[in-house]
Amino acid sequence: MEIDQQLLLTRIKAAKNGSQSAFNYLLDTFWDSVYGFQLKKTGNAYESEDITIQTFSKAFKRIETFDEDYSFSTWLIAISKNIHVDMIRKQKSSIRSQTTSDQNEKVYRIADETPTIEDKLISEQHLAQLLTDIKQLKPHYQEVINLRYFQEKSYKEIAATLDEPMNNVKVKLLRAKKLLAKIIEERKSM
């Protein structure tokens, strides 16, 4: 896929200013390359997805540090590699690092005030069909959808429930909504 570099730079600048649509664009554009890279590295789909979620979480949190003179995809892959190396180190040492609640409060917040197309699709669907569609998602995506939309928990509450950083929850929920919207659209077009 050929990426329009001018559009990419515009979206990166918008993301640095907190634009949700710019974050969505970057996630959509680079998800497959980061996930594919990790899948080759780990050979495990679940682990690759988890590392990819963490990669985008970290990238969105630190987007202001990205230097536009360099390749965005290379920057993401470097973050992804570092997360994978850290994961291996943690597994080897069996020491689990904990994020303090003070650090969670400082997590870069991705704006989410306006309902997206995915949100509208979710709220407009018949509940029984929606539940059937949700069951097609991987279990960890089902869980974040359930916590956010059926239990109406905040990002902070979901992060505490899942024992994950808030940015991971935001990326996971964004990805879950996109996958669910795709399932719904495919069903409607049949």
Side-chain angles (χ1 to χ4, degrees):
M1 175 177 76
E2 190 63 32
I3 299 172
D4 178 347
Q5 292 302 311
Q6 199 57 40
L7 175 62
L8 178 60
L9 287 175
T10 302
R11 296 296 173 105
I12 290 169
K13 287 178 181 164
K16 286 182 175 185
N17 290 322
S19 166
Q20 181 68 45
S21 65
F23 285 123
N24 290 350
Y25 171 83
L26 295 172
L27 182 73
D28 289 344
T29 304
F30 294 101
W31 176 273
D32 289 342
S33 61
V34 175
Y35 175 76
F37 172 79
Q38 279 303 329
L39 191 57
K40 286 178 188 171
K41 204 161 190 59
T42 66
N44 179 311
Y46 180 80
E47 194 173 308
S48 299
E49 202 165 77
D50 187 45
I51 293 170
T52 303
I53 288 168
Q54 289 181 49
T55 299
F56 281 95
S57 172
K58 192 170 196 173
F60 292 167
K61 182 178 175 183
R62 302 189 38 90
I63 189 82
E64 73 283 347
T65 67
F66 174 70
D67 183 345
E68 285 100 8
D69 292 334
Y70 298 97
S71 164
F72 190 73
S73 62
T74 303
W75 185 65
L76 286 172
I77 294 296
I79 292 171
S80 179
K81 282 180 185 175
N82 290 339
I83 290 170
H84 185 243
V85 168
D86 288 347
M87 187 179 282
I88 290 170
R89 282 187 190 135
K90 286 178 186 174
Q91 288 170 350
K92 285 183 179 178
S93 65
S94 297
I95 297 173
R96 185 158 188 250
S97 66
Q98 296 288 327
T99 305
T100 65
S101 59
D102 183 44
Q103 288 170 320
N104 276 341
E105 294 301 320
K106 295 177 184 175
V107 169
Y108 186 84
R109 289 169 184 16
I110 298 174
D112 132 334
E113 274 65 283
T114 57
T116 64
I117 293 167
E118 294 88 355
D119 291 330
K120 289 176 185 168
L121 278 173
I122 288 170
S123 64
E124 292 169 3
Q125 291 297 310
H126 183 266
L127 184 59
Q129 182 60 56
L130 179 60
L131 292 173
T132 302
D133 292 339
I134 289 171
K135 286 182 181 175
Q136 293 180 51
L137 295 171
K138 291 183 179 177
H140 61 279
Y141 289 141
Q142 290 179 32
E143 186 175 28
V144 293
I145 292 280
N146 178 38
L147 290 169
R148 181 70 174 160
Y149 295 103
F150 294 98
Q151 295 183 31
E152 299 181 350
K153 291 188 179 266
S154 69
Y155 288 131
K156 188 175 181 179
E157 291 170 325
I158 296 170
T161 301
L162 299 177
D163 193 27
E164 289 187 27
M166 195 180 324
N167 254 17
N168 283 16
V169 169
K170 289 178 181 180
V171 172
K172 196 177 283 186
L173 187 61
L174 178 64
R175 183 76 177 146
K177 290 190 303 184
K178 288 191 179 301
L179 292 171
L180 182 58
K182 185 176 177 184
I183 289 168
I184 292 168
E185 287 301 315
E186 286 173 358
R187 180 179 42 77
K188 283 183 172 183
S189 67
M190 293 177 131

